[in-house]
């Protein structure tokens, strides 16, 4: 594999096959369906970013969708709705890159605070959020319908 350069761009409907493949791999039974993404892609309050890796294979340019993130914005508050990196690309700094870029995108739209929900068992995502300045601000009991798991509510200010 040659050098890959990450590039962020708005998610498009044509990305959904690749997005859903990642979504189903990382979230299993809790994966969002195509219709959830399709609905959000036309929602004026929602912003979804696709993380592409640009490289070359045998001299030919290649672009591989390696992750995505999305948020809803209401006035100056945002809620991170989703973030995922394809398993083959995890632990290479891409989740952090994607989250930093997503927070910058929120800021560019006038957001001053961001909240998110995360499963109490999802320690790697919590570690990523803590690394980027999020703190636990509450707990939502039995938030996840598939197994009744609690969510931690995390938040940070954007400055
Ligand atoms: C959470 C996720 C996006 C992180 O993506 P990633 O590209 O692997 O993360 P990075 O390589 O950028 O790591 C950034 C930080 O995240 C944390 N982290 C990531 N993977 C971790 C792991 N397996 N164990 C512990 N911490 C981890 C660490 O704090 C890490 O910083 P460090 O490298 O200085 O230790 C990825 O694991 C993923 O897609 N998970 C499945 C989907 C998911 O759970 N999304 C969140 C829903 S709330």
């Amino acid at each position: 594999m040659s050098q890959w350069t990450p590039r962020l761009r708005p998610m498009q409907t044509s990305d959904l096959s690749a997005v859903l493949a990642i979504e189903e791999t990382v979230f299993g039974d809790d994966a969002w369906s195509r219709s959830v993404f399709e609905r959000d892609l036309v929602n004026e309050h929602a912003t979804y970013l696709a993380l592409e890796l640009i490289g070359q294979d045998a001299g030919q340019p290649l672009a591989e969708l390696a992750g995505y993130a999305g948020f809803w914005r209401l006035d100056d508050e945002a809620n991170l709705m989703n973030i995922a990196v394809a398993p083959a690309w995890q632990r290479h700094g891409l989740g952090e890159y994607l989250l930093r870029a997503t927070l910058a995108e929120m800021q560019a739209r006038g957001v001053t605070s961001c909240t998110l929900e995360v499963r109490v068992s999802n320690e790697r995502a919590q570690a990523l959020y803590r690394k980027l300045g999020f703190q636990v601000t509450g707990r939502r009991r039995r938030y996840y319908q598939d197994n009744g798991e609690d969510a931690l509510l995390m938040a940070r200010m954007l400055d």
Side-chain angles (χ1 to χ4, degrees):
M1 197 83 65
S2 56
Q3 288 281 47
W4 292 86
T5 305
R7 185 180 76 178
L8 276 167
R9 58 170 176 74
M11 188 189 289
Q12 302 161 359
T13 309
S14 56
D15 294 320
L16 287 185
S17 296
V19 166
L20 289 168
I22 297 173
E23 179 78 10
E24 285 162 17
T25 309
V26 300
F27 293 115
D29 289 345
D30 202 29
W32 286 4
S33 64
R34 175 177 287 269
S35 60
V36 172
F37 282 102
E38 284 175 341
R39 191 189 59 204
D40 269 9
L41 287 181
V42 294
N43 183 327
E44 62 176 316
H45 297 294
T47 301
Y48 280 75
L49 300 172
L51 171 66
E52 270 184 335
L53 297 178
I54 310 295
Q56 286 199 346
D57 190 22
Q60 297 299 310
L62 267 188
E64 176 175 338
L65 195 132
Y68 50 89
F71 64 90
W72 277 40
R73 181 182 68 85
L74 278 181
D75 299 324
D76 59 356
E77 295 178 14
N79 186 257
L80 184 74
M81 301 297 291
N82 202 337
I83 182 166
V85 171
W89 291 106
Q90 289 179 6
R91 295 254 64 179
H92 288 86
L94 291 175
E96 182 172 342
Y97 174 85
L98 182 56
L99 184 53
R100 286 189 190 282
T102 303
L103 295 172
E105 184 71 24
M106 290 176 189
Q107 257 185 309
R109 291 161 188 261
V111 169
T112 58
S113 66
C114 175
T115 56
L116 61 86
E117 287 87 15
V118 57
R119 286 179 186 265
V120 290
S121 64
N122 194 348
E123 292 177 2
R124 56 189 174 159
Q126 290 169 34
L128 169 63
Y129 300 143
R130 277 196 304 273
K131 185 175 183 186
L132 268 63
F134 284 84
Q135 294 183 330
V136 175
T137 55
R139 189 173 180 119
R140 301 199 194 284
R141 302 275 168 203
R142 304 189 62 77
Y143 182 78
Y144 295 98
Q145 291 179 354
D146 59 337
N147 64 353
E149 188 173 349
D150 291 357
L152 294 181
L153 181 62
M154 300 183 79
R156 65 159 279 186
M157 303 302 290
L158 306 182
D159 41 35

